[in-house]
Amino acid sequence: MGGIFDGIADWFIGLPAWGQALGRVLILVLPILLLVPILIWWERRLLSWMQDRIGPNRVGPFGLLQTICDGVKLFFKEDITPSSVDRFIYIVAPAVALFPAFAIGATLPIAPHIAPWGAESFYRFITPVADVNIGVLYIFAISSLGVYGVVLAGYASNNKYSLMGGLRSSAQLISYELGMGMALAALVLAAGSLRMSDMVRVQEADLWGAVPALQNWFILTPFGFVAGVVFLICMVAETNRAPFDLPEAENELIAGYHTEYSSMKFAVFFMGEYAAMFLFAGIFTALFLGGHNALPLDWYALGLPVVADINYYLAPVIFLGKVFTLFSLYVWIRATLPRLRYDQLMSLGWRSLLPLAVTNFILVGLWILMVDLYGPLAGLGIAVGAGLLLYVFWRVAMNATGDVPGLPRRQVRMVSDARPIESGETIVAGS
């Protein structure tokens, strides 16, 4: 198998620079375009199973071709452009919303650059598209551009509901991206690098620096777990998914920012949303779940080098498996939680996620400083003390808000003074 992959790598190296760049881009973009219909089908099937429904099952085996039929229908559907829109911005907005979804994946390492036996990996020629040394900052910069497509669509549509959806999206962005940034800043501080491939490599070290048989996946560390919870909530809001789909709330804004869009313009918004979900799941996989490593185990330390070799050759498949699992979590959240009110979203972002992420960042910096100055035991003492301090703060906050009067409890009785109906009795409405 190694010879086959090495031959492909040699052929790829022989291409000119522009050919290699184009190849890496196509390896990223084409699978995402092909996977979007499968993701839509999987969401519809998974939602139906969770809600005790059948779901798509008529067109093709298990309804697999239903999404293709929907795409054909959208392609041939009449493209209606309202007469009073800003035509240029109206047309450009869907492309602006789709572009960040693909650009985000440029720094994602789906396979290792170094083979388990120490040689350079053939994967280094194909992934990531650009292994830049500011990978995390690049992700922040590109992901924040996605809101421009939503805001421009709402503004250009000349529709009050659409404009309200665009404004909601911009306010929502400010609320959760600060917490997201501070959550990832804690990881960057601990890893000492912004490069995505370095973030994955750091997670292959010994767990907590003391357990050689286990890998130090960030989600298994105290600060990484807190950052992971914050980032998970923020990435659901970033992709405008339930329960944070307020910019397109149908019960309040009809369809929000894309109310006036139809045919393929609407489909582009739809495609951008699912591509963004897929790629943000990839970011979470790379930053918190060890990237392309199947399990947080050091196979060489366990005396199983064969398993390490298998993990190496199946690295892209393992990475995609984690991404599909996280995508299923998106669907699970949608099927479980109702949509939040707008004030609840603002409160969650500013009063919970941001303070928690900032506190976590400060504690990581303090822990690193104490370990460097006084050794691991001092760092352990800081971790325990920080946990106790957070618990005290939480208890104080609960006591401070405990005296705030809430809404009165109401009880609804579905049947009142029930009695059997006598034969021949006339029932009067409202009685």
Side-chain angles (χ1 to χ4, degrees):
M1 183 180 293
I4 297 175
F5 284 114
D6 291 338
I8 297 175
D10 292 338
W11 171 81
F12 193 83
I13 295 171
L15 295 175
W18 65 266
Q20 295 182 26
L22 180 61
R24 285 193 291 269
V25 170
L26 293 178
I27 290 173
L28 171 69
V29 173
L30 290 181
I32 294 176
L33 291 174
L34 295 175
L35 283 172
V36 165
I38 298 176
L39 296 176
I40 297 173
W41 171 84
W42 174 243
E43 179 181 28
R44 296 171 71 178
R45 292 289 290 185
L46 191 56
L47 279 175
S48 65
W49 294 335
M50 290 180 175
Q51 298 170 350
D52 197 19
R53 296 185 289 107
I54 297 176
N57 67 339
R58 292 288 188 271
V59 185
F62 308 104
L64 281 169
L65 300 181
Q66 181 64 57
T67 307
I68 305 298
C69 293
D70 292 340
V72 172
K73 179 191 71 173
L74 285 171
F75 185 81
F76 289 102
K77 198 176 183 70
E78 182 181 3
D79 187 6
I80 300 173
T81 301
S83 58
S84 56
V85 301
D86 188 319
R87 292 186 65 86
F88 176 75
I89 300 179
Y90 178 84
I91 294 172
V92 167
V96 174
L98 179 62
F99 164 76
F102 292 101
I104 286 174
T107 61
L108 279 183
I110 65 174
H113 284 187
I114 304 296
W117 50 88
E120 287 190 327
S121 168
F122 55 84
Y123 288 124
R124 71 186 187 279
F125 301 109
I126 60 175
T127 178
V129 175
D131 192 20
V132 294
N133 57 3
I134 56 167
V136 176
L137 289 181
Y138 171 84
I139 289 173
F140 279 135
I142 297 299
S143 64
S144 63
L145 296 178
V147 72
Y148 283 94
V150 176
V151 173
L152 291 176
Y155 165 77
S157 295
N158 195 25
N159 180 305
K160 291 182 175 61
Y161 290 115
S162 300
L163 179 61
M164 185 64 70
L167 293 176
R168 279 187 173 190
S169 182
S170 60
Q172 184 170 308
L173 172 80
I174 299 172
S175 299
Y176 61 74
E177 280 219 338
L178 291 173
M180 178 190 292
M182 294 308 301
L184 293 192
L187 300 189
V188 171
L189 193 62
S193 175
L194 291 166
R195 192 188 299 268
M196 293 293 289
S197 57
D198 289 344
M199 301 288 281
V200 176
R201 196 173 300 115
V202 167
Q203 296 178 73
E204 296 175 351
D206 297 343
L207 180 63
W208 298 0
V211 186
L214 298 178
Q215 293 184 351
N216 192 47
W217 289 11
F218 283 135
I219 199 67
L220 301 178
T221 63
F223 68 88
F225 180 79
V226 174
V229 171
V230 174
F231 184 81
L232 180 66
I233 297 173
C234 292
M235 79 179 195
V236 174
E238 174 79 29
T239 51
N240 292 328
R241 292 286 298 181
F244 305 117
D245 54 341
L246 294 166
E248 51 186 280
E250 69 276 358
N251 60 333
E252 302 169 9
L253 305 177
I254 305 178
Y257 62 92
H258 51 59
T259 297
E260 301 294 348
Y261 283 88
S262 60
S263 188
M264 286 306 295
K265 294 188 184 70
F266 172 78
V268 169
F269 278 116
F270 207 56
M271 186 183 303
E273 177 180 315
Y274 280 85
M277 292 165 58
F278 183 81
L279 290 168
F280 266 97
I283 294 171
F284 191 93
T285 297
L287 294 179
F288 294 95
L289 301 180
H292 45 75
N293 295 292
L295 293 172
L297 298 174
D298 187 339
W299 301 112
Y300 274 90
L302 295 173
L304 298 171
V306 176
V307 181
D309 295 345
I310 295 174
N311 190 113
Y312 168 69
Y313 287 111
L314 296 181
V317 177
I318 294 169
F319 188 90
L320 290 178
K322 293 182 180 181
V323 172
F324 269 102
T325 302
L326 287 170
F327 181 85
S328 301
L329 180 61
Y330 267 110
V331 181
W332 188 5
I333 293 173
R334 175 182 176 181
T336 305
L337 299 179
R339 180 183 296 122
L340 297 181
R341 295 196 317 265
Y342 200 66
D343 62 299
Q344 290 174 325
L345 173 62
M346 297 292 107
S347 176
L348 177 64
W350 289 105
R351 299 176 60 185
S352 299
L353 297 181
L354 181 58
L356 183 60
V358 171
T359 303
N360 190 50
F361 176 77
I362 295 172
L363 292 177
V364 170
L366 186 59
W367 168 68
I368 293 175
L369 178 63
M370 295 301 292
V371 169
D372 289 342
L373 293 178
Y374 304 108
L377 289 179
L380 180 61
I382 287 293
V384 174
L388 295 175
L389 188 62
L390 286 175
Y391 176 76
V392 171
F393 283 163
W394 178 73
R395 293 298 303 177
V396 170
M398 291 297 99
N399 293 333
T401 58
D403 297 330
V404 178
L407 295 175
R409 296 176 60 88
R410 294 182 299 174
Q411 184 177 6
V412 178
R413 299 184 63 183
M414 302 303 294
V415 179
S416 178
D417 300 326
R419 61 180 180 83
I421 299 176
E422 300 293 341
S423 177
E425 181 180 0
T426 303
I427 305 299
V428 181
S431 62

